[in-house]
Amino acid sequence: MSDPRARAEATVRAYYDAFNRGDLEGFLALLTEDVAHDINQGGRENGREAFRAFLARMNRCYAERIEDLVVLTEPTGTRAAAEFTVHGRYLATDPGLPEARGQRYVLPGGAFFELRDGRIARISNHYNLQDWLRQVGG
């Protein structure tokens, strides 16, 4: 694939496909070793191993599937954005958040990506935390 925009879109789609399959190693392989991860309404974590730890917590607390994915790219293929709907279930209480009781939620979300050498070098996730809290009874 020689088109930078098509490569960027394919990488972002592969990221969400791996997420939906629960393919942790495939998911992490799409990230640069020094990936920057901007957590929704939180701080920034750096590195693939920090991202692995974040995913372990997420997988313990949440069961989520990304649907209605739309990916936008810019001409150089170094930036992309995604809009999607998260269909999830709150499995185990995440520290600082309401008690988990298996609540289901549907939440619009988005992410911004920076790509380098065919991998994701930065991801910034965004969703409406107040909407999620309302849905899970928080």
Side-chain angles (χ1 to χ4, degrees), residues 27-74:
F27 188 75
L28 292 169
L30 294 165
L31 308 177
T32 61
E33 190 64 40
D34 65 343
V35 64
H37 176 215
D38 296 321
I39 301 168
N40 186 69
Q41 299 182 0
R44 173 174 275 193
E45 295 181 346
N46 292 294
R48 193 180 297 153
E49 290 310 308
F51 204 94
R52 180 187 299 277
F54 172 82
L55 289 176
R57 180 177 58 89
M58 293 299 291
N59 289 338
R60 181 180 57 78
C61 296
Y62 309 92
E64 294 183 332
R65 178 164 181 77
I66 301 299
E67 297 184 11
D68 309 317
L69 179 64
V70 175
V71 178
L72 307 168
T73 61
E74 55 79 50

Short mmCIF file of all heavy atoms in Angstrom, two decimals, residues 27-74:
data_model
loop_
_atom_site.label_atom_id
_atom_site.label_comp_id
_atom_site.label_asym_id
_atom_site.label_seq_id
_atom_site.Cartn_x
_atom_site.Cartn_y
_atom_site.Cartn_z
N PHE A 27 -2.66 -6.13 19.30
CA PHE A 27 -2.98 -4.74 19.62
C PHE A 27 -1.69 -3.98 19.96
O PHE A 27 -1.40 -2.93 19.38
CB PHE A 27 -3.93 -4.77 20.80
CG PHE A 27 -4.55 -3.48 21.19
CD1 PHE A 27 -5.57 -2.91 20.45
CD2 PHE A 27 -4.14 -2.84 22.35
CE1 PHE A 27 -6.17 -1.73 20.85
CE2 PHE A 27 -4.73 -1.66 22.76
CZ PHE A 27 -5.74 -1.10 22.00
N LEU A 28 -0.89 -4.53 20.86
CA LEU A 28 0.34 -3.87 21.29
C LEU A 28 1.38 -3.79 20.17
O LEU A 28 2.17 -2.85 20.13
CB LEU A 28 0.92 -4.59 22.51
CG LEU A 28 0.09 -4.46 23.79
CD1 LEU A 28 0.61 -5.42 24.85
CD2 LEU A 28 0.07 -3.03 24.30
N ALA A 29 1.38 -4.76 19.26
CA ALA A 29 2.34 -4.76 18.15
C ALA A 29 2.13 -3.58 17.21
O ALA A 29 3.05 -3.21 16.47
CB ALA A 29 2.24 -6.07 17.38
N LEU A 30 0.97 -2.97 17.25
CA LEU A 30 0.68 -1.82 16.40
C LEU A 30 1.19 -0.50 16.98
O LEU A 30 1.10 0.53 16.35
CB LEU A 30 -0.83 -1.72 16.13
CG LEU A 30 -1.40 -2.87 15.31
CD1 LEU A 30 -2.90 -2.90 15.40
CD2 LEU A 30 -0.93 -2.75 13.87
N LEU A 31 1.74 -0.57 18.20
CA LEU A 31 2.22 0.63 18.88
C LEU A 31 3.74 0.73 18.80
O LEU A 31 4.43 -0.28 18.82
CB LEU A 31 1.82 0.57 20.36
CG LEU A 31 0.36 0.32 20.68
CD1 LEU A 31 0.16 0.22 22.18
CD2 LEU A 31 -0.54 1.38 20.08
N THR A 32 4.25 1.96 18.77
CA THR A 32 5.69 2.15 18.87
C THR A 32 6.11 1.82 20.30
O THR A 32 5.30 1.85 21.23
CB THR A 32 6.10 3.60 18.54
OG1 THR A 32 5.48 4.49 19.47
CG2 THR A 32 5.73 3.97 17.10
N GLU A 33 7.37 1.51 20.50
CA GLU A 33 7.88 1.19 21.84
C GLU A 33 7.68 2.36 22.80
O GLU A 33 7.42 2.17 23.99
CB GLU A 33 9.36 0.82 21.75
CG GLU A 33 9.93 0.26 23.02
CD GLU A 33 9.31 -1.06 23.45
OE1 GLU A 33 9.04 -1.92 22.59
OE2 GLU A 33 9.08 -1.23 24.66
N ASP A 34 7.77 3.60 22.28
CA ASP A 34 7.65 4.80 23.11
C ASP A 34 6.28 5.48 23.01
O ASP A 34 6.14 6.67 23.25
CB ASP A 34 8.75 5.80 22.75
CG ASP A 34 8.61 6.33 21.32
OD1 ASP A 34 7.89 5.72 20.49
OD2 ASP A 34 9.24 7.36 21.02
N VAL A 35 5.25 4.72 22.68
CA VAL A 35 3.92 5.28 22.47
C VAL A 35 3.50 6.18 23.63
O VAL A 35 3.76 5.88 24.79
CB VAL A 35 2.87 4.15 22.26
CG1 VAL A 35 2.70 3.28 23.49
CG2 VAL A 35 1.54 4.73 21.80
N ALA A 36 2.88 7.32 23.28
CA ALA A 36 2.32 8.23 24.27
C ALA A 36 0.81 7.98 24.30
O ALA A 36 0.16 7.98 23.25
CB ALA A 36 2.61 9.67 23.90
N HIS A 37 0.28 7.76 25.49
CA HIS A 37 -1.14 7.46 25.65
C HIS A 37 -1.77 8.52 26.55
O HIS A 37 -1.46 8.59 27.74
CB HIS A 37 -1.31 6.07 26.26
CG HIS A 37 -2.72 5.70 26.54
ND1 HIS A 37 -3.07 4.93 27.62
CD2 HIS A 37 -3.87 5.98 25.88
CE1 HIS A 37 -4.38 4.76 27.61
NE2 HIS A 37 -4.88 5.39 26.58
N ASP A 38 -2.63 9.35 25.96
CA ASP A 38 -3.36 10.37 26.71
C ASP A 38 -4.68 9.76 27.13
O ASP A 38 -5.55 9.49 26.30
CB ASP A 38 -3.59 11.61 25.86
CG ASP A 38 -2.29 12.28 25.47
OD1 ASP A 38 -1.38 12.33 26.33
OD2 ASP A 38 -2.18 12.75 24.33
N ILE A 39 -4.83 9.53 28.43
CA ILE A 39 -6.02 8.88 28.97
C ILE A 39 -7.13 9.91 29.10
O ILE A 39 -6.89 11.04 29.54
CB ILE A 39 -5.69 8.25 30.34
CG1 ILE A 39 -4.57 7.21 30.17
CG2 ILE A 39 -6.93 7.63 30.98
CD1 ILE A 39 -3.98 6.72 31.46
N ASN A 40 -8.35 9.51 28.74
CA ASN A 40 -9.48 10.43 28.82
C ASN A 40 -9.54 11.06 30.21
O ASN A 40 -9.55 10.37 31.22
CB ASN A 40 -10.79 9.67 28.55
CG ASN A 40 -11.97 10.61 28.50
OD1 ASN A 40 -12.10 11.40 27.58
ND2 ASN A 40 -12.84 10.53 29.48
N GLN A 41 -9.56 12.39 30.24
CA GLN A 41 -9.66 13.18 31.46
C GLN A 41 -8.63 12.75 32.50
O GLN A 41 -8.88 12.76 33.71
CB GLN A 41 -11.08 13.12 32.03
CG GLN A 41 -12.08 13.68 31.06
CD GLN A 41 -13.51 13.69 31.57
OE1 GLN A 41 -13.79 13.26 32.68
NE2 GLN A 41 -14.41 14.18 30.75
N GLY A 42 -7.46 12.33 32.03
CA GLY A 42 -6.40 11.89 32.92
C GLY A 42 -5.06 12.39 32.41
O GLY A 42 -4.98 13.35 31.66
N GLY A 43 -4.02 11.71 32.79
CA GLY A 43 -2.67 12.11 32.42
C GLY A 43 -2.18 11.39 31.18
O GLY A 43 -2.94 10.75 30.45
N ARG A 44 -0.90 11.52 30.96
CA ARG A 44 -0.23 10.86 29.84
C ARG A 44 0.67 9.77 30.39
O ARG A 44 1.39 9.97 31.36
CB ARG A 44 0.60 11.85 29.05
CG ARG A 44 1.45 11.17 27.96
CD ARG A 44 2.17 12.15 27.09
NE ARG A 44 1.25 12.54 26.04
CZ ARG A 44 1.61 13.20 24.94
NH1 ARG A 44 2.86 13.57 24.78
NH2 ARG A 44 0.72 13.51 24.02
N GLU A 45 0.59 8.60 29.77
CA GLU A 45 1.50 7.50 30.07
C GLU A 45 2.35 7.26 28.84
O GLU A 45 1.89 7.44 27.72
CB GLU A 45 0.73 6.24 30.43
CG GLU A 45 -0.08 6.37 31.71
CD GLU A 45 -0.82 5.11 32.08
OE1 GLU A 45 -0.95 4.20 31.23
OE2 GLU A 45 -1.28 5.03 33.22
N ASN A 46 3.61 6.86 29.06
CA ASN A 46 4.52 6.66 27.95
C ASN A 46 5.06 5.23 27.94
O ASN A 46 5.38 4.69 29.00
CB ASN A 46 5.70 7.64 28.04
CG ASN A 46 5.24 9.06 27.78
OD1 ASN A 46 4.81 9.39 26.69
ND2 ASN A 46 5.31 9.88 28.81
N GLY A 47 5.12 4.66 26.75
CA GLY A 47 5.72 3.36 26.55
C GLY A 47 4.71 2.23 26.41
O GLY A 47 3.61 2.28 26.96
N ARG A 48 5.12 1.24 25.65
CA ARG A 48 4.26 0.09 25.38
C ARG A 48 3.94 -0.69 26.65
O ARG A 48 2.83 -1.18 26.83
CB ARG A 48 4.92 -0.82 24.34
CG ARG A 48 3.95 -1.85 23.79
CD ARG A 48 4.58 -2.75 22.78
NE ARG A 48 5.03 -2.02 21.61
CZ ARG A 48 6.02 -2.41 20.82
NH1 ARG A 48 6.69 -3.52 21.08
NH2 ARG A 48 6.36 -1.70 19.78
N GLU A 49 4.90 -0.80 27.57
CA GLU A 49 4.65 -1.56 28.80
C GLU A 49 3.65 -0.84 29.71
O GLU A 49 2.83 -1.48 30.36
CB GLU A 49 5.95 -1.88 29.53
CG GLU A 49 6.79 -2.91 28.78
CD GLU A 49 6.00 -4.16 28.36
OE1 GLU A 49 5.33 -4.77 29.22
OE2 GLU A 49 6.04 -4.51 27.17
N ALA A 50 3.68 0.48 29.73
CA ALA A 50 2.67 1.24 30.48
C ALA A 50 1.30 1.03 29.86
O ALA A 50 0.29 0.89 30.57
CB ALA A 50 3.03 2.72 30.51
N PHE A 51 1.25 0.96 28.54
CA PHE A 51 -0.01 0.72 27.84
C PHE A 51 -0.51 -0.69 28.15
O PHE A 51 -1.71 -0.90 28.37
CB PHE A 51 0.18 0.91 26.33
CG PHE A 51 -1.10 1.25 25.62
CD1 PHE A 51 -1.45 2.56 25.37
CD2 PHE A 51 -1.95 0.25 25.18
CE1 PHE A 51 -2.63 2.87 24.71
CE2 PHE A 51 -3.14 0.54 24.52
CZ PHE A 51 -3.47 1.87 24.29
N ARG A 52 0.39 -1.65 28.22
CA ARG A 52 0.02 -3.03 28.57
C ARG A 52 -0.63 -3.06 29.97
O ARG A 52 -1.65 -3.71 30.17
CB ARG A 52 1.24 -3.94 28.55
CG ARG A 52 0.96 -5.39 28.90
CD ARG A 52 2.22 -6.22 29.03
NE ARG A 52 3.01 -6.27 27.81
CZ ARG A 52 2.79 -7.10 26.80
NH1 ARG A 52 1.82 -7.98 26.86
NH2 ARG A 52 3.57 -7.08 25.73
N ALA A 53 -0.04 -2.35 30.93
CA ALA A 53 -0.59 -2.31 32.29
C ALA A 53 -1.96 -1.64 32.30
O ALA A 53 -2.88 -2.09 32.99
CB ALA A 53 0.37 -1.59 33.22
N PHE A 54 -2.11 -0.57 31.53
CA PHE A 54 -3.40 0.11 31.41
C PHE A 54 -4.45 -0.87 30.87
O PHE A 54 -5.56 -0.96 31.39
CB PHE A 54 -3.25 1.33 30.49
CG PHE A 54 -4.57 1.97 30.15
CD1 PHE A 54 -5.17 2.85 31.03
CD2 PHE A 54 -5.19 1.70 28.93
CE1 PHE A 54 -6.39 3.44 30.71
CE2 PHE A 54 -6.40 2.29 28.60
CZ PHE A 54 -7.00 3.17 29.49
N LEU A 55 -4.09 -1.61 29.83
CA LEU A 55 -5.03 -2.57 29.23
C LEU A 55 -5.41 -3.69 30.21
O LEU A 55 -6.56 -4.14 30.22
CB LEU A 55 -4.45 -3.18 27.95
CG LEU A 55 -4.37 -2.24 26.76
CD1 LEU A 55 -3.68 -2.93 25.60
CD2 LEU A 55 -5.75 -1.77 26.35
N ALA A 56 -4.47 -4.11 31.02
CA ALA A 56 -4.77 -5.16 32.01
C ALA A 56 -5.86 -4.67 32.97
O ALA A 56 -6.80 -5.41 33.28
CB ALA A 56 -3.51 -5.55 32.77
N ARG A 57 -5.74 -3.42 33.43
CA ARG A 57 -6.77 -2.86 34.31
C ARG A 57 -8.09 -2.71 33.57
O ARG A 57 -9.15 -3.08 34.09
CB ARG A 57 -6.33 -1.50 34.85
CG ARG A 57 -7.38 -0.87 35.78
CD ARG A 57 -6.90 0.44 36.38
NE ARG A 57 -6.54 1.43 35.40
CZ ARG A 57 -7.40 2.31 34.89
NH1 ARG A 57 -8.66 2.32 35.24
NH2 ARG A 57 -6.98 3.20 34.01
N MET A 58 -8.03 -2.22 32.35
CA MET A 58 -9.26 -2.05 31.57
C MET A 58 -9.95 -3.39 31.33
O MET A 58 -11.17 -3.49 31.46
CB MET A 58 -8.94 -1.36 30.23
CG MET A 58 -8.46 0.07 30.38
SD MET A 58 -9.67 1.17 31.14
CE MET A 58 -10.89 1.23 29.86
N ASN A 59 -9.18 -4.40 30.98
CA ASN A 59 -9.77 -5.72 30.70
C ASN A 59 -10.35 -6.36 31.95
O ASN A 59 -11.29 -7.15 31.86
CB ASN A 59 -8.74 -6.64 30.05
CG ASN A 59 -8.43 -6.22 28.63
OD1 ASN A 59 -9.21 -5.54 27.98
ND2 ASN A 59 -7.25 -6.59 28.16
N ARG A 60 -9.80 -6.03 33.11
CA ARG A 60 -10.35 -6.55 34.37
C ARG A 60 -11.67 -5.86 34.71
O ARG A 60 -12.61 -6.49 35.17
CB ARG A 60 -9.34 -6.34 35.51
CG ARG A 60 -9.81 -6.86 36.86
CD ARG A 60 -8.79 -6.64 37.96
NE ARG A 60 -8.39 -5.25 38.14
CZ ARG A 60 -9.13 -4.32 38.77
NH1 ARG A 60 -10.29 -4.63 39.28
NH2 ARG A 60 -8.68 -3.09 38.89
N CYS A 61 -11.76 -4.56 34.43
CA CYS A 61 -12.92 -3.77 34.85
C CYS A 61 -14.02 -3.64 33.80
O CYS A 61 -15.17 -3.41 34.16
CB CYS A 61 -12.46 -2.37 35.25
SG CYS A 61 -11.37 -2.34 36.70
N TYR A 62 -13.67 -3.79 32.54
CA TYR A 62 -14.63 -3.49 31.47
C TYR A 62 -14.58 -4.55 30.37
O TYR A 62 -13.50 -5.07 30.06
CB TYR A 62 -14.31 -2.14 30.81
CG TYR A 62 -14.15 -1.01 31.79
CD1 TYR A 62 -12.90 -0.69 32.31
CD2 TYR A 62 -15.24 -0.28 32.22
CE1 TYR A 62 -12.74 0.33 33.23
CE2 TYR A 62 -15.10 0.75 33.14
CZ TYR A 62 -13.84 1.06 33.64
OH TYR A 62 -13.69 2.07 34.55
N ALA A 63 -15.73 -4.82 29.79
CA ALA A 63 -15.80 -5.62 28.56
C ALA A 63 -16.38 -4.68 27.51
O ALA A 63 -17.53 -4.24 27.64
CB ALA A 63 -16.69 -6.84 28.75
N GLU A 64 -15.59 -4.32 26.52
CA GLU A 64 -16.02 -3.33 25.56
C GLU A 64 -15.81 -3.80 24.12
O GLU A 64 -14.92 -4.59 23.85
CB GLU A 64 -15.25 -2.01 25.76
CG GLU A 64 -15.56 -1.35 27.07
CD GLU A 64 -14.86 -0.01 27.26
OE1 GLU A 64 -13.76 0.20 26.69
OE2 GLU A 64 -15.41 0.82 27.98
N ARG A 65 -16.65 -3.27 23.26
CA ARG A 65 -16.56 -3.51 21.83
C ARG A 65 -16.76 -2.18 21.12
O ARG A 65 -17.65 -1.42 21.48
CB ARG A 65 -17.62 -4.52 21.39
CG ARG A 65 -17.60 -4.78 19.92
CD ARG A 65 -18.38 -6.03 19.54
NE ARG A 65 -18.30 -6.25 18.12
CZ ARG A 65 -17.27 -6.75 17.47
NH1 ARG A 65 -16.20 -7.10 18.15
NH2 ARG A 65 -17.27 -6.90 16.18
N ILE A 66 -15.92 -1.92 20.13
CA ILE A 66 -16.00 -0.70 19.34
C ILE A 66 -16.83 -0.99 18.09
O ILE A 66 -16.56 -1.94 17.36
CB ILE A 66 -14.59 -0.20 18.94
CG1 ILE A 66 -13.73 0.07 20.18
CG2 ILE A 66 -14.68 1.01 18.03
CD1 ILE A 66 -14.26 1.12 21.11
N GLU A 67 -17.84 -0.15 17.87
CA GLU A 67 -18.69 -0.29 16.68
C GLU A 67 -18.84 1.07 16.01
O GLU A 67 -18.45 2.09 16.57
CB GLU A 67 -20.06 -0.86 17.08
CG GLU A 67 -19.94 -2.27 17.66
CD GLU A 67 -21.29 -2.90 17.96
OE1 GLU A 67 -22.33 -2.36 17.54
OE2 GLU A 67 -21.29 -3.94 18.63
N ASP A 68 -19.40 1.06 14.81
CA ASP A 68 -19.68 2.29 14.05
C ASP A 68 -18.41 3.12 13.82
O ASP A 68 -18.44 4.34 13.87
CB ASP A 68 -20.73 3.16 14.75
CG ASP A 68 -21.98 2.40 15.13
OD1 ASP A 68 -22.46 1.60 14.30
OD2 ASP A 68 -22.47 2.56 16.27
N LEU A 69 -17.31 2.44 13.55
CA LEU A 69 -16.01 3.10 13.42
C LEU A 69 -15.91 3.91 12.13
O LEU A 69 -16.18 3.40 11.04
CB LEU A 69 -14.89 2.05 13.45
CG LEU A 69 -13.46 2.55 13.31
CD1 LEU A 69 -13.08 3.44 14.48
CD2 LEU A 69 -12.50 1.36 13.20
N VAL A 70 -15.50 5.16 12.29
CA VAL A 70 -15.18 6.04 11.16
C VAL A 70 -13.76 6.54 11.39
O VAL A 70 -13.44 7.02 12.47
CB VAL A 70 -16.15 7.23 11.07
CG1 VAL A 70 -15.73 8.19 9.96
CG2 VAL A 70 -17.58 6.77 10.87
N VAL A 71 -12.90 6.39 10.39
CA VAL A 71 -11.50 6.81 10.51
C VAL A 71 -11.24 7.93 9.50
O VAL A 71 -11.58 7.80 8.32
CB VAL A 71 -10.53 5.64 10.25
CG1 VAL A 71 -9.08 6.11 10.33
CG2 VAL A 71 -10.79 4.52 11.25
N LEU A 72 -10.64 9.00 9.97
CA LEU A 72 -10.27 10.14 9.13
C LEU A 72 -8.75 10.27 9.16
O LEU A 72 -8.14 10.10 10.22
CB LEU A 72 -10.90 11.43 9.66
CG LEU A 72 -12.41 11.38 9.89
CD1 LEU A 72 -12.87 12.58 10.68
CD2 LEU A 72 -13.14 11.28 8.57
N THR A 73 -8.15 10.58 8.04
CA THR A 73 -6.70 10.73 7.97
C THR A 73 -6.34 12.03 7.24
O THR A 73 -7.17 12.60 6.53
CB THR A 73 -6.05 9.56 7.21
OG1 THR A 73 -6.57 9.53 5.88
CG2 THR A 73 -6.33 8.23 7.90
N GLU A 74 -5.12 12.45 7.40
CA GLU A 74 -4.63 13.62 6.66
C GLU A 74 -3.64 13.15 5.60
O GLU A 74 -3.20 12.00 5.64
CB GLU A 74 -4.07 14.68 7.62
CG GLU A 74 -3.00 14.22 8.57
CD GLU A 74 -1.64 14.12 7.91
OE1 GLU A 74 -1.20 15.06 7.25
OE2 GLU A 74 -1.01 13.06 8.06
#
